Amino acid sequence: MRIALAGLATSHPYTDARTLRDDAELVVWEPDPQRLARFRAEQPDAVVAPDLAALLATGPDGVVLTVPTSDVPDALAQVLQHKLPCFVNKPAAATAGQLERLERVVARAPELVLTSSVLRFAPEFVAFDVPREEVLSVRATVRHDVGLWATGYNPWQDDPAVGGGTLVMMGLHGVELLVALLGPAVRLVGAARTVRRHRGLRSEDTGLLAVQWDDGVPGTVEVLGVSEGEAYEVTVHTAAGERRVVLRGGADELGYRATIDAFVGMVRGAPSPVPWAQTRAVLDVLASARAMA
């Protein structure tokens, strides 16, 4: 099995490669020499391609795509021209314009496209289940410090017009979990953002999204980009009290390995395990929040 890693724009594909390397031959393309050098130090046996076209010409069985969000639609279009299953590291769209472009591309072969927060596949979350009829309201809390962006690291992630900033980059995790739990019939009803500590950001370090499902269930996503640790929590309120799941720990606990296992299933012929309707709902809420905030 040959897997192409198209871009190393975030930390995620480095983790993906560590998961894949025991079972797959790795081929990589990344235009930034420092990122590529780091990858080659970790994966010395990986074959390096000079550009995306050359990468796809090596005949991979699947592609892990990690480029700046604004570049995703064009890069994904090239992948789908080769009829290859593709895992797009989050987020696949940060603005309404990006989502419109992405949707036109995905429409060609939605069964070949998986793009999701890895947390959807976290074992503890997969095992978390509350009967839908018992749900009164829901809350997701995302704790992931974004102080590194204030130093100028990966500026595209902090740019609201490119990567969406903290509200999108980190908010995606909470929205993904709630849509996975309650379904895609959801809309944004409010959003707020502020900078509480990390001066120098182009976006925010703290935010709140308010959402509501078609059957009336309300929900909130708290985005806390000022945090001493990384953790993700979902709270479901019922008449009997609260049900809660907290996700923290390493790659296995947070769902990285299970996500790659799902992608490998696609390489072996399975359709995407996340319906596009759910993915689109997540991205629409985030793009709407970015525009509102």
Side-chain angles (χ1 to χ4, degrees):
M1 180 171 59
R2 177 178 294 168
I3 300 297
L5 293 118
L8 305 169
T10 69
S11 63
H12 286 231
Y14 297 90
T15 304
D16 298 338
R18 290 191 288 271
T19 303
L20 285 162
R21 65 186 173 190
D22 291 336
D23 300 309
E25 175 188 354
L26 303 181
V27 188
V28 64
W29 157 72
E30 166 55 44
D32 183 275
Q34 291 183 327
R35 288 185 173 277
L36 183 59
R38 173 190 164 190
F39 185 88
R40 295 186 73 178
E42 291 187 16
Q43 309 295 343
D45 294 330
V47 175
V48 178
D51 53 41
L52 180 56
L55 182 78
L56 297 174
T58 64
D61 299 297
V63 178
V64 176
L65 179 62
T66 316
V67 296
T69 309
S70 56
D71 297 339
V72 168
D74 291 342
L76 181 59
Q78 293 185 57
V79 173
L80 294 184
Q81 284 176 0
H82 289 257
K83 297 181 173 57
L84 294 172
C86 186
F87 170 49
V88 183
N89 268 307
K90 63 93 178 176
T95 68
Q98 290 176 6
L99 179 54
E100 183 179 355
R101 289 169 55 211
L102 178 68
E103 191 159 31
R104 289 198 297 267
V105 172
V106 173
R108 304 174 189 176
E111 72 282 358
L112 293 179
V113 180
L114 168 62
T115 181
S116 171
S117 165
V118 296
L119 298 178
R120 172 189 282 265
F121 296 94
E124 285 192 58
F125 179 73
V126 172
F128 183 66
D129 182 45
V130 180
R132 185 70 169 78
E133 65 275 10
E134 295 182 11
V135 177
L136 300 178
S137 68
V138 291
R139 180 180 73 245
T141 303
V142 176
R143 294 181 176 89
H144 190 128
D145 198 276
V146 298
L148 192 60
W149 294 347
T151 69
Y153 175 81
N154 258 20
W156 67 269
Q157 290 185 288
D158 185 37
D159 187 339
V162 180
T166 300
L167 204 62
V168 172
M169 279 278 169
M170 299 307 165
L172 179 138
H173 295 299
V175 177
E176 183 88 45
L177 291 172
L178 295 187
V179 168
L181 194 66
L182 299 182
V186 64
R187 62 186 176 89
L188 182 80
V189 296
R193 57 178 288 272
T194 187
V195 175
R196 299 297 297 160
R197 180 173 298 176
H198 296 310
R199 309 299 170 183
L201 289 172
R202 298 184 66 176
S203 61
E204 55 282 311
D205 62 18
T206 306
L208 180 72
L209 288 72
V211 297
Q212 189 166 33
W213 278 261
D214 284 358
D215 63 354
V217 172
T220 56
V221 177
E222 300 171 310
V223 184
L224 305 176
V226 181
S227 174
E228 293 184 359
E230 179 182 357
Y232 310 88
E233 180 178 319
V234 172
T235 302
V236 178
H237 297 280
T238 73
E242 295 180 351
R243 296 279 304 279
R244 181 180 291 110
V245 60
V246 180
L247 308 175
R248 58 165 60 93
D252 288 356
E253 291 82 1
L254 294 179
Y256 286 86
R257 180 173 297 277
T259 303
I260 290 301
D261 287 344
F263 166 63
V264 170
M266 293 172 60
V267 173
R268 292 172 174 159
S272 173
V274 181
W276 173 247
Q278 290 200 18
T279 298
R280 194 199 183 286
V282 172
L283 297 177
D284 183 63
V285 165
L286 294 167
S288 299
R290 183 73 277 166
M292 180 179 292

